[in-house]
Amino acid sequence: MPNVLKVIRTVDSLRRALEPYRRPRQHIALVPTMGALHRGHMALVREAQRRAKRVVVSIFVNPTQFAPHEDFGSYPRSFAADIKALREAKVDFVWAPSAETMYPDGFATHIAPEGAAKASLEDEFRPHFFGGVATVVAKLFTQVSPNLALFGQKDYQQLRVVTQMAKDLNLPVKVIGVPTVRESDGLALSSRNAYLSTAERAVAPMLYRVLKGCASRIRSGEKVDHVLNIGRIEIDVAGFALDYLEARHALTLAPVVSSKDGPIRLLVAAKLGKTRLIDNVAV
Ligand code: AMP
């Protein structure tokens, strides 16, 4: 039984380390991350510990989900601090493969998700993104073979894509979505918040305020299109460059006209200076 956190770097040693915990009822939970851990990640860890006997946190900044012009090179990395936080949280295993371990020379297989991955939300602005995410998550699922895997609702489209992929490929992993952890002013925690200047940080919570306002107006019966148009103006006036603010079916991410079309999720992405923020709420 591990009582100290074990950092694992190769697939063989991962399999060996987890082998003793695969017996019935010894549930293994996986929390996939790109490191730069914050309270949002730690909420996933706590939920994993609540649901499973052993917890594996993966830390891998996945190059294939970044486009060449995006922030792969400058993405925040804080491995030593991450390990310290995970040790204090009594996590059992950290799976931290190198890029060469994940994508050795000759690597030639990619997953191309459709459905929620082609909803014209994140995919419109980051066309390479969900292919990269689906491929790395499929690899993580087969490497770790967890009974369950926890993802944040903060990345809502990603949660839907991964859930669908696990279902479509019959991967024996239960995918669980964990509610978004926020700062006291409502800003969703994100590793990329570190990029915000002081002035931008002061404006950033506006995104969540607009989402909540839109959700409550739709709940009170106002027309979805009208509410979204006002929301888009509010975001624009606050100084963001809006990528999208949309109302979608909470499960399929298909467009919706009114609450009669099913449970609605509002999703937003906008840039504040150089920082791109995303958020979402249930209606
Ligand atoms: P990342 O390291 O940004 O790829 O995120 C790893 C996991 O943490 C993903 O499942 C995210 O959705 C989740 N996550 C990131 N930020 C938050 C947050 N503020 N609240 C809850 N989960 C989060």
Side-chain angles (χ1 to χ4, degrees):
M1 194 156 94
N3 47 15
V4 287
L5 175 131
K6 197 160 186 246
V7 179
I8 303 173
R9 303 276 189 183
T10 69
V11 177
D12 280 350
S13 46
L14 178 70
R15 294 239 162 90
R16 265 198 308 277
L18 294 179
E19 191 47 44
Y21 307 106
R22 298 210 183 277
R23 277 173 242 118
R25 278 188 248 283
Q26 289 250 348
H27 276 186
I28 297 174
L30 170 66
V31 178
T33 82
M34 298 205 299
L37 302 183
H38 50 63
R39 284 187 291 114
H41 298 111
M42 298 316 283
L44 302 191
V45 167
R46 273 197 307 280
E47 186 60 22
Q49 290 173 322
R50 206 176 67 73
R51 290 173 179 261
K53 202 128 181 197
R54 299 291 161 206
V55 173
V56 181
V57 174
S58 63
I59 298 181
F60 181 63
V61 185
N62 177 35
T64 68
Q65 70 192 62
F66 291 80
H69 68 276
E70 290 181 346
D71 57 347
F72 175 72
S74 59
Y75 192 84
R77 288 163 171 87
S78 56
F79 194 73
D82 293 349
I83 296 298
K84 184 166 179 282
L86 296 173
R87 187 173 290 129
E88 281 166 12
K90 300 202 181 342
V91 162
D92 305 288
F93 301 103
V94 169
W95 170 223
S98 66
E100 293 69 36
T101 296
M102 279 306 229
Y103 303 113
D105 276 352
F107 183 87
T109 305
H110 289 270
I111 293 189
E114 298 189 358
K118 294 280 170 70
S120 287
L121 297 165
E122 283 301 285
D123 49 301
E124 187 111 343
F125 296 87
R126 309 186 69 191
H128 51 280
F129 180 70
F130 290 116
V133 167
T135 303
V136 81
V137 170
K139 283 177 67 70
L140 291 169
F141 281 7
T142 33
Q143 291 163 340
V144 176
S145 294
N147 304 97
L148 36 132
L150 296 96
F151 290 83
Q153 291 177 2
K154 152 91 187 344
D155 300 278
Y156 194 80
Q157 191 178 4
Q158 168 174 284
L159 172 62
R160 298 310 314 153
V161 170
V162 168
T163 302
Q164 187 69 42
M165 180 191 67
K167 181 169 184 244
D168 290 348
L169 300 183
N170 304 108
L171 303 178
V173 181
K174 184 173 178 188
V175 175
I176 293 158
V178 177
T180 302
V181 177
R182 300 179 179 282
E183 302 284 5
S184 55
D185 58 13
L187 176 65
L189 264 62
S190 163
S191 307
R192 289 190 170 98
N193 291 352
Y195 300 154
L196 295 169
S197 70
T198 310
E200 289 163 351
R201 175 63 189 80
V203 175
M206 183 68 187
L207 216 50
Y208 180 54
R209 239 172 285 152
V210 170
L211 280 177
K212 274 203 313 190
C214 289
S216 107
R217 296 173 77 159
I218 292 171
R219 270 196 298 272
S220 67
E222 285 187 54
K223 281 190 68 172
V224 171
D225 262 5
H226 173 70
V227 169
L228 291 180
N229 280 333
I230 293 174
R232 289 176 187 127
I233 293 167
E234 287 172 342
I235 289 169
D236 195 51
V237 168
F240 293 86
L242 181 66
D243 280 352
Y244 60 82
L245 169 63
E246 296 291 340
R248 295 301 179 86
H249 188 286
L251 294 180
T252 64
L253 300 187
V256 290
V257 176
S258 77
S259 302
K260 290 194 198 83
D261 295 330
I264 296 182
R265 198 89 191 178
L266 300 180
L267 303 102
V268 68
K271 282 199 269 318
L272 205 46
K274 286 187 300 244
T275 310
R276 189 165 180 282
L277 302 175
I278 62 171
D279 204 347
N280 66 87
V281 296
V283 170

